[in-house]
């Protein structure tokens, strides 16, 4: 397993797949040998090996193999959930969510929107339960994972033609990312700006001017904060969100005069600041 991870990090995909296969063969042999005495921790390790090999297969464009491995990981971890009940560790619950998320991504890549939406929903349900369970001890990395899952489901919902639901998911992602940035989680900044950009695009499509106005104000406030933090930490190095900023400005500049007037009306007393930020006359 460890050598497979190292080979994968070194872009040796074939070597990684071979090592994950060896690990899976050894673990499955132990499962058959020990039967009912097979430890839950080893079952979780086997699920991790399937998840890793699934990810490697997906990277190698073996979509069918990836889906099969993700399915094995999910089956093993769902069995552990039933077996352990209240003693099921939070980390294992998050690992099951990761398996659903990965399979959702693979299903989306295979044009299976229904399957992707179902898997994203399972992942979100698990992650939200952990959020409630752990409270202030909920790890920042898990918060980022949940936000990313909301963003992925939003994309799938948009593709399925449910734009209103997509906006809800992107708004949920933006809320989580904004909280992370407020807590000093600068690496989430680019993802947050992307989430706000998607929400804005959906709001403009629906002519939802109050929500679009909130997106604009959130974008400007966050951008100013991120730029200041970035300069303090990295000087003149190009920040990862600069392209998103251009896309955001382009979406706003693409409005016709009537749409722009409606948006400015929704901004109220903040309209002048927005006009200056975007160079409107």
């Amino acid at each position: 397993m460890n050598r497979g991870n190292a080979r994968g990090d070194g872009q040796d995909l074939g070597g990684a797949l071979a090592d994950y296969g060896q690990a899976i063969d050894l673990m499955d042999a132990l499962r058959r040998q020990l039967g009912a005495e097979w430890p839950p921790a080893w079952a979780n390790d086997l699920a991790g090996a399937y998840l890793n090999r699934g990810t490697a297969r997906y990277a190698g464009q073996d979509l069918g193999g990836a889906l099969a491995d993700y399915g094995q990981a999910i089956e093993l971890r769902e069995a552990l959930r039933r077996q352990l009940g209240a003693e099921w560790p939070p980390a294992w619950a998050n690992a099951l969510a990761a398996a659903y998320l990965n399979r959702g991504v693979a299903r989306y890549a295979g044009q299976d929107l229904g399957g992707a939406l179902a898997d994203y929903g399972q992942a979100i349900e698990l992650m939200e339960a952990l959020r409630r369970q752990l409270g202030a001890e909920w790890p920042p990395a898990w918060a980022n994972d949940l936000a990313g899952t909301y963003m992925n489901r939003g994309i799938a919902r948009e593709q399925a033609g449910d734009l209103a639901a997509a906006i809800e998911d992107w708004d949920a992602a933006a809320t989580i990312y904004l909280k992370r940035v407020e807590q000093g989680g600068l690496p989430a900044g680019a993802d947050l700006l992307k989430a706000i950009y998607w929400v804005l695009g959906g709001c403009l499509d629906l002519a939802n001017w109050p929500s679009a106005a909130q997106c604009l104000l959130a974008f400007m406030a966050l951008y100013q904060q991120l730029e200041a933090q970035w300069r303090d930490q990295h000087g003149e190095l190009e920040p990862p969100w600069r392209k998103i900023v251009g896309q955001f400005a382009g979406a706003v500049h693409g409005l016709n005069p009537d749409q722009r007037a409606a948006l400015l009306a929704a901004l109220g007393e903040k309209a002048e600041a927005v006009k200056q930020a975007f160079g409107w006359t």
Side-chain angles (χ1 to χ4, degrees), residues 73-163:
I74 289 169
E75 182 179 328
L76 285 161
R77 285 180 168 152
E78 285 287 8
L80 285 169
R81 170 156 63 165
R82 294 189 296 271
Q83 176 185 345
L84 298 177
E87 297 179 0
W88 192 40
W92 292 12
N94 193 65
L96 175 57
Y100 275 116
L101 171 59
N102 284 13
R103 192 174 70 177
V105 171
R107 282 177 159 175
Y108 179 82
Q111 307 299 312
D112 179 8
L113 278 181
L117 286 168
D119 280 345
Y120 291 148
Q122 289 283 358
I124 288 170
E125 183 179 327
L126 286 160
M127 293 176 184
E128 286 286 11
L130 285 168
R131 183 187 199 179
R132 294 189 296 271
Q133 175 186 344
L134 299 177
E137 297 179 1
W138 191 45
W142 294 10
N144 285 348
D145 290 342
L146 175 57
T149 307
Y150 272 121
M151 290 177 69
N152 284 354
R153 192 174 70 176
I155 295 170
R157 282 177 158 176
E158 182 191 32
Q159 289 292 313
D162 191 352
L163 185 57

Side-chain angles (χ1 to χ4, degrees), residues 216-217 220 264 267 270-280:
L216 281 171
L217 295 174
M220 290 194 302
L264 289 173
L267 285 162
K270 302 290 187 179
E272 192 60 37
V274 172
K275 287 171 66 178
Q276 293 180 8
F278 287 96
W280 290 350

Side-chain angles (χ1 to χ4, degrees), residues 13-98:
L13 193 58
L17 285 167
D19 280 346
Y20 292 145
Q22 290 282 359
I24 288 169
D25 287 347
L26 287 163
M27 292 178 187
D28 263 329
L30 285 169
R31 172 161 56 167
R32 293 190 298 271
Q33 177 184 340
L34 297 176
E37 297 179 2
W38 192 45
W42 293 9
N44 189 62
D45 288 343
L46 176 56
Y50 274 117
L51 186 66
N52 285 356
R53 190 175 70 177
T55 301
R57 283 177 159 174
Y58 181 78
Q61 301 183 8
D62 178 7
L63 191 58
L67 287 168
D69 279 347
Y70 291 148
Q72 288 285 350
I74 289 169
E75 182 179 328
L76 285 161
R77 285 180 168 152
E78 285 287 8
L80 285 169
R81 170 156 63 165
R82 294 189 296 271
Q83 176 185 345
L84 298 177
E87 297 179 0
W88 192 40
W92 292 12
N94 193 65
L96 175 57

